[in-house]
Amino acid sequence: MTKLFEGILVGVILIGGCTQPAPTNGPANPKDDASFVVTGDQKADWQRILELEEQAKAVINAGGCTSADQCRSAPVGSRACGGPRYYLVYCARATDSVALYRKLDDVAAAERAYNARYQVMSTCEFRMPPDVSLSGGVCAAKQ
């Protein structure tokens, strides 16, 4: 009986030790983003998130790369079940990546606060970053 218990315990430890939390974008606690305050007006709050997203997009420059290995993708948002809503493709050579990720962190933190406040639900599939390519000096997601 002790051998059976030890075997189960070892199995639980091994399984538990292999699990990892879902990847996030930005601070894990929505309260960490002091710039976004949920107002109670769901439509207005979502519009503010979209405005933050547009600010992040304004930092991106998809052109200016000379090789595909200079192209990158960055996660946008935070779905209720975890992970980004989608990815933006950009040229790392021509984009201020630090400024971009600061903006994207703001978007993700705001969306987490929004999801919690309005009890948003989403699908739980993991969205992988796209493969990127370079065509005519412009980075894009491969089709």
Side-chain angles (χ1 to χ4, degrees):
M1 179 113 156
T2 9
K3 292 282 186 194
L4 177 62
F5 177 72
E6 287 174 6
I8 292 171
L9 182 60
V10 168
V12 169
I13 290 170
L14 289 176
I15 292 170
C18 293
T19 60
Q20 297 178 356
T24 61
N25 181 24
N29 185 348
K31 294 178 184 176
D32 291 347
D33 180 32
S35 65
F36 186 83
V37 177
V38 179
T39 65
D41 180 342
Q42 188 172 2
K43 188 173 181 178
D45 288 344
W46 184 251
Q47 186 58 43
R48 289 177 46 235
I49 290 170
L50 295 178
E51 289 167 8
L52 288 171
E53 197 171 308
E54 287 304 313
Q55 291 172 15
K57 288 178 183 177
V59 174
I60 285 181
N61 188 350
C65 284
T66 56
S67 65
D69 66 336
Q70 296 169 336
C71 297
R72 305 280 187 279
S73 65
V76 179
S78 180
R79 294 179 313 136
C81 199
R85 280 185 281 122
Y86 68 98
Y87 291 83
L88 292 171
V89 176
Y90 67 99
C91 172
R93 180 177 177 203
T95 299
D96 180 347
S97 297
V98 172
L100 172 62
Y101 274 85
R102 281 187 185 136
K103 291 288 184 186
L104 292 174
D105 286 347
D106 290 346
V107 172
E111 194 166 346
R112 278 192 298 277
Y114 176 92
N115 292 342
R117 168 63 172 88
Y118 299 110
Q119 300 177 346
V120 174
M121 297 178 68
S122 71
T123 58
C124 293
E125 80 274 5
F126 182 74
R127 296 187 177 163
M128 297 296 295
D131 291 328
V132 294
S133 64
L134 183 68
S135 177
V138 177
C139 296
K142 287 184 182 177
Q143 296 298 332

